[in-house]
Amino acid sequence: MNNKRIISLDQGSSSSRALVFDEQGQVLARAGRALDTRRPTPNQAEFDAWALWQGQREALLEVLGQTDPADEICLAVACQRSSIVFWDKNTGKPLAPALSWQDGRAQAQSDAVTLPQETIHQITGLYKTPFYSAAKISWTLQHVPEVAQAAAQDNLCVGPVASFVIWHLTEGKVFACDPTLAQRTLLFNISTFQWEPQLLQAFGIKQEWLPQIKKTTDDYGVFSHEGRRISIRVCVGDQQAALQALRVVSGGACINYGTGAFFMRNTGRQCHFLPGLLTSIGAEESEYLLEGPVNVCGTIFTWLNEIGISCAADEIDALCEKATHAVQFLPALGGLGAPYWDYSISPVFAGFTPHTKKADIILGAVEGLTCLLADIVFYMERYGIKSTEIKVSGGLSKSRTLLHSQADILQSRLLPCSETEGTAVGAALLAAKAFGVDSAQWETMRILPAVDPQIDPLVAEEKYIRWHQFLTWCKSKN
């Protein structure tokens, strides 16, 4: 009997990764390729779309070479949400840089759409901002002649990163995405699960340019390589995949610390709308989430490196132990996400003294991040949605300093997981169901010892009050 293997492709903001899972959920092989984010201006973030595809293909072929030719394999594709790729439907050639979800260049195109925010929120679950794909598409049509020409000749494909990857894996036979990614274009109706004509017209986009919408677990075609035919069974957004990996069921909550940070609460079949938060579609059918994004997480430390304050992810804890007086730091790279949606504000440091050290700046960055997430959690609590235990994943969840800071400010128990590759694991779990693999006993995302608050609730409250005084001051200065 042939062994069954699942390969997860995780196309993130900083790398292209591929992991092979066996039927027990063990990782048999993994490979990755770095992905460079270009920032032509402080408000722009883009990728070389062809380099993105080549890196993902190389990672896939590397792990595929470590499987037995007799193995039965299926593929799951997960990717960063809101990033958008433009390519020629005849050649597959990218026509423009892929614009990252972090890219805010399309503010004017977003502002030109006169539909009220309340209307857009009810249709899409999101808000009109330049960080979702619709405004980026409008900007590119207006500023990149190759894209405008392809549109005029009906040769244009526009889709999420996963659509571009699947298009190439299937040699152009499948042009599709799932609802978790379609929603992030700001062109998708979360009630009808179709492209929304009112929004297509408002942003000047034709439905013919966009991918077919399939279920998250569906037939996404076949990848053929050296005589092997490998079915593609999953297409999903990275945060929804991470939620699957953490097995966050209805009523549960999680934080994923990646390039950005995301607090998500699974509301099950109930579709809640709260002003200031996102109503997102889950990877399972008829599953909804309340979501609060923080625009930056890992990028805080990348940016600090760029301005000469070097700190690798594995150095955070050691440096923070040396801190004696953390500076105040508002890490508003790309503005503020939920529940503020303020893109006019910039990063702010305060509280420097002659004795301030690098360690104090790093600890300030950690505490600034955890306070931005606390803003989201406490905002939900004001609407009666409380989370006393929160599962956590993502690369920066390895930092005990970050987790202790988060637990302290929230006065909640955090449950970290053993595997930081939550997106890849979640995509594999979704594929397992379609592939006839029993994943109920998988221990890939085993829960590690809990992180509990270590400071008194009154001390935590005072600390949070000081944070909000600092945030209010920052807003007054921007």
Side-chain angles (χ1 to χ4, degrees), residues 11-17 33-37 47 80 102 259:
Q11 179 56 65
S13 300
S14 57
S15 65
S16 305
R17 295 183 292 278
R33 298 292 186 274
L35 177 63
D36 292 330
T37 302
F47 310 113
Q80 52 183 295
Q102 303 170 81
T259 302

Side-chain angles (χ1 to χ4, degrees), residues 330 336 340 342 345 348 470-478:
L330 176 64
L336 295 176
Y340 306 106
D342 182 351
I345 197 164
V348 179
F470 170 59
L471 179 59
T472 301
W473 178 81
C474 290
K475 288 182 174 181
S476 72
K477 299 299 179 183
N478 271 263

Side-chain angles (χ1 to χ4, degrees), residues 103-399:
D103 190 283
R105 72 183 70 187
Q107 185 67 62
Q109 287 71 24
S110 179
D111 292 343
V113 173
T114 57
L115 287 172
Q117 285 284 26
E118 294 78 7
T119 300
I120 291 176
H121 189 207
Q122 286 295 315
I123 293 172
T124 67
L126 311 177
Y127 292 95
K128 183 185 66 173
T129 83
F131 292 91
Y132 298 122
S133 307
K136 301 180 199 297
I137 298 171
S138 296
W139 185 93
T140 306
L141 285 165
Q142 295 170 21
H143 291 85
V144 181
E146 293 84 353
V147 172
Q149 182 178 357
Q153 296 173 348
D154 293 325
N155 290 332
L156 179 62
C157 287
V158 182
V161 172
S163 298
F164 181 63
V165 170
I166 290 170
W167 194 95
H168 279 282
L169 288 171
T170 62
E171 298 180 332
K173 295 182 178 66
V174 176
F175 180 36
C177 71
D178 85 316
T180 68
L181 292 171
Q183 181 188 16
R184 248 44 190 196
T185 63
L186 204 69
L187 300 169
F188 178 81
N189 188 314
I190 64 171
S191 298
T192 65
F193 274 54
Q194 301 293 328
W195 298 117
E196 172 54 45
Q198 188 177 187
L199 290 168
L200 291 170
Q201 182 178 5
F203 284 98
I205 296 166
K206 291 184 179 180
Q207 184 172 329
E208 292 76 20
W209 304 336
L210 301 174
Q212 176 189 0
I213 299 170
K214 291 174 169 278
K215 295 179 181 179
T216 298
T217 304
D218 209 327
D219 179 4
Y220 284 91
V222 173
F223 170 57
S224 299
H225 179 71
E226 295 183 349
R228 305 174 79 171
R229 290 177 55 81
I230 300 170
S231 62
I232 307 168
R233 303 302 296 271
V234 170
C235 172
V236 66
D238 53 3
Q239 301 308 315
Q240 282 87 343
L243 201 76
Q244 288 289 310
L246 294 168
R247 301 187 190 273
V248 177
V249 298
S250 180
C254 77
I255 296 174
N256 194 29
Y257 300 98
T259 302
F262 300 84
F263 178 80
M264 292 174 285
R265 172 68 179 253
N266 188 329
T267 62
R269 293 180 177 273
Q270 291 187 320
C271 184
H272 287 283
F273 289 91
L274 292 183
L277 296 179
L278 308 182
T279 299
S280 297
I281 296 167
E284 300 282 4
E285 286 191 63
S286 303
E287 180 182 74
Y288 293 92
L289 316 171
L290 275 177
E291 180 180 345
V294 173
N295 291 342
V296 294
C297 184
T299 44
I300 295 173
F301 301 99
T302 303
W303 179 71
L304 288 173
N305 282 325
E306 290 172 355
I307 63 173
I309 306 171
S310 60
C311 176
D314 58 3
E315 297 175 322
I316 292 173
D317 290 343
L319 275 170
C320 288
E321 286 178 3
K322 300 176 182 178
T324 55
H325 185 73
V327 303
Q328 290 181 300
F329 179 29
L330 176 64
L333 296 171
L336 295 176
Y340 306 106
W341 306 107
D342 182 351
Y343 297 110
S344 65
I345 197 164
S346 301
V348 179
F349 289 101
F352 282 83
T353 75
H355 304 290
T356 295
K357 307 183 294 292
K358 180 170 79 168
D360 298 314
I361 297 172
I362 300 304
L363 182 56
V366 168
E367 292 183 345
L369 170 62
T370 58
C371 284
L372 286 177
L373 283 157
D375 286 343
I376 297 165
V377 177
F378 293 152
Y379 183 82
M380 283 193 191
E381 287 186 3
R382 291 202 289 273
Y383 285 89
I385 302 172
K386 186 171 177 60
S387 302
T388 55
E389 284 193 344
I390 302 170
K391 293 183 177 180
V392 295
S393 67
L396 279 185
S397 66
K398 293 179 179 178
S399 168

Side-chain angles (χ1 to χ4, degrees), residues 8 10 17 19 21-22 24-27 30 238-248 253-257 264 390-398 414-430 439-450:
S8 282
D10 176 9
R17 295 183 292 278
L19 285 81
F21 297 84
D22 66 14
Q24 288 72 48
Q26 299 300 308
V27 178
R30 63 180 81 202
D238 53 3
Q239 301 308 315
Q240 282 87 343
L243 201 76
Q244 288 289 310
L246 294 168
R247 301 187 190 273
V248 177
C254 77
I255 296 174
N256 194 29
Y257 300 98
M264 292 174 285
I390 302 170
K391 293 183 177 180
V392 295
S393 67
L396 279 185
S397 66
K398 293 179 179 178
L414 302 185
L415 302 174
C417 296
S418 57
E419 174 61 71
T420 59
E421 297 277 9
T423 295
V425 173
L429 282 167
L430 289 165
S439 61
Q441 303 305 315
W442 281 22
E443 296 185 357
T444 310
M445 296 294 283
R446 178 173 49 85
I447 299 297
L448 298 174

